[in-house]
Amino acid sequence: EETIKDLVCWSPHSSMRRCLEELVQSRTRNGAESVFVSDGYVISMGGKKLVKLQMQCGGEPRPVSLCWNWDVKLEPVAVQETH
């Protein structure tokens, strides 16, 4: 059965933004549901951690903001050494 998300045609910029959001969420240990990427530069009033980024889409710079709750820690994934 199709949902509304299956019927929506995303622009290239929106697709890139959603891919970034899903990538960060998938690598978050806990609290992934609080991680989101918003179009444009968001002004934080202290309720969320915030990183302002500029993505390139078709040669055009596009500002986005990566936001998450204060109690969520975004940490790098440990790299396993192969010997």
Side-chain angles (χ1 to χ4, degrees):
E1 197 170 304
E2 288 187 41
T3 65
I4 190 69
K5 285 186 176 183
D6 297 328
L7 301 174
V8 174
C9 181
W10 299 100
S11 70
H13 170 68
S14 294
S15 294
M16 282 181 54
R17 182 186 54 76
R18 292 209 16 106
C19 285
L20 174 61
E21 181 176 277
E22 290 177 15
L23 176 70
V24 175
Q25 286 176 344
S26 70
R27 293 177 181 244
T28 301
R29 288 188 191 179
N30 57 20
E33 65 279 350
S34 76
V35 177
F36 64 94
V37 178
S38 180
D39 284 324
Y41 292 143
V42 174
I43 297 173
S44 176
M45 301 301 284
K48 302 234 181 256
K49 292 181 184 176
L50 173 67
V51 175
K52 296 176 182 179
L53 306 167
Q54 199 169 70
M55 295 179 9
Q56 292 288 324
C57 185
E60 285 184 46
R62 297 289 187 124
V64 296
S65 297
L66 173 62
C67 308
W68 66 98
N69 288 343
W70 277 100
D71 60 341
V72 174
K73 291 185 178 180
L74 299 183
E75 298 174 354
V77 175
V79 178
Q80 294 180 347
E81 293 183 30
T82 56
H83 289 189

